[in-house]
Amino acid sequence: MSNKRIRILDVPVDMVNTGEAMDIFRELMKSPECSLIVTPNSEIIVNASQDPELKGIIEKADLIIPDGIGLVYASKIMGMPLRERVTGIDFLEQILRYLEETGQSIFFLGSKPGEGNSPSIAEAAAQKMKEKYPGLQIAGTHHGYFREPEESEIVERINGSGADFLCVALGSPKQEKFVFRHQEMLNVKGAIGVGGSLDVWAGTLKRAPEFYRNHGLEWLYRFIQQPSRYKRMAALPLFMIKVVISRIRGGK
């Protein structure tokens, strides 16, 4: 499948709106192989420009949605404007609706394990989404606190669940590298990295109110909630500075 792509800091991003991204997703779900969907924001683009492994993974992804208002601004500076931001968590909800309609199943992988009798974040998120989409088939869940030697066992568990699609919430770049490392062994038709989406669904992390989302200020809301993220927040101004310099130099 050939998607029209632009390059921001020499990292590819698909020029798609939400409807077009879903059209591509539906086609990917017809393939017997595991397709990789990545959801880069400004921070991930900066990291990819400095991490050849992550950049290589994004280059080979089947769908690269522009999850971040910074990418929309940057694309305008580059002279190839993206039509809209396609947020990862909203796109994933569209995927859940599609899976509910088709009767296909999903596996939730990531975030913290449960403590005592409390469910893990993945289990809590699965329960919330099951309540919201009663017909959704949850094939299984697993927390994200595992070591690399345990990964083959995790892959076997995912495959054994019969899941059609995999949601990976390990944070970037760990989630992208996990899927890419096991892509040929995974029996799912597709996988997406979704960062903190499971925490939002489980209710342990509040999503920014609509005002912040509509004005591209989700990063500010996250900073208010988690001041410890200040080093990560610095990625946004750094990203815009790099984009402007790249444009002045005539680069991508």
Side-chain angles (χ1 to χ4, degrees):
M1 183 178 300
S2 178
N3 310 340
K4 186 176 181 182
R5 290 179 169 173
I6 62 171
R7 303 187 80 85
I8 300 175
L9 300 184
D10 202 30
V11 179
V13 179
D14 284 327
M15 295 189 73
V16 291
N17 58 28
T18 302
E20 291 165 340
M22 278 304 298
D23 287 342
I24 294 170
F25 166 77
R26 292 185 190 96
E27 289 300 313
L28 293 176
M29 289 298 287
K30 296 176 183 177
S31 172
E33 299 176 350
C34 175
S35 300
L36 172 60
I37 302 171
V38 294
T39 60
N41 56 17
S42 303
E43 181 184 359
I44 293 174
I45 293 291
V46 170
N47 290 343
S49 70
Q50 300 168 346
D51 180 349
E53 182 185 1
L54 177 59
K55 181 183 175 184
I57 292 171
I58 295 175
E59 293 273 5
K60 295 175 183 176
D62 299 278
L63 178 57
I64 310 167
I65 68 170
D67 178 13
I69 194 65
L71 273 63
V72 176
Y73 295 152
S75 69
K76 292 178 180 178
I77 293 172
M78 302 305 296
M80 296 187 69
L82 294 162
R83 281 165 288 171
E84 68 179 44
R85 174 189 179 193
V86 183
T87 59
I89 190 168
D90 292 330
F91 184 65
L92 183 54
E93 287 230 22
Q94 292 218 21
I95 288 175
L96 296 186
R97 284 193 286 269
Y98 168 87
L99 297 175
E100 182 184 33
E101 291 171 3
T102 60
Q104 293 171 292
S105 61
I106 189 168
F107 192 103
F108 287 167
L109 173 66
S111 203
K112 294 181 180 179
E115 297 181 2
N117 295 324
S118 300
S120 68
I121 296 297
E123 289 171 330
Q127 180 60 38
K128 292 285 187 180
M129 290 302 100
K130 184 70 175 175
E131 292 171 4
K132 188 171 184 178
Y133 305 105
L136 179 65
Q137 302 299 314
I138 308 291
T141 66
H142 197 284
H143 63 78
Y145 282 52
F146 53 84
R147 296 170 298 172
E148 193 165 325
E150 301 173 274
E151 290 186 3
S152 58
E153 183 180 333
I154 301 296
V155 171
E156 288 180 11
R157 181 166 178 170
I158 294 167
N159 289 342
S161 75
D164 296 291
F165 193 75
L166 174 62
C167 165
V168 186
L170 301 175
S172 183
K174 186 177 179 180
Q175 59 197 17
E176 290 83 12
K177 293 182 178 182
F178 172 86
V179 175
F180 187 76
R181 191 158 52 241
H182 302 290
Q183 195 168 4
E184 293 184 359
M185 292 173 281
L186 285 164
N187 290 340
V188 294
K189 293 180 172 62
I192 186 172
V194 293
S197 295
L198 296 187
D199 293 87
V200 172
W201 287 345
T204 58
L205 182 67
K206 289 185 178 179
R207 191 179 181 189
E210 192 171 346
F211 172 83
Y212 288 84
R213 301 203 300 270
N214 291 343
H215 291 82
L217 296 172
E218 283 180 284
W219 61 271
L220 177 59
Y221 188 79
R222 289 292 298 275
F223 175 67
I224 293 170
Q225 284 195 98
Q226 299 173 300
S228 60
R229 291 171 57 91
Y230 74 94
K231 289 184 179 179
R232 295 180 64 180
M233 293 298 127
L236 182 56
L238 174 62
F239 168 74
M240 296 308 300
I241 291 169
K242 284 177 174 286
V243 168
V244 171
I245 291 172
S246 175
R247 179 60 171 169
I248 292 172
R249 292 177 175 173
K252 297 177 180 178

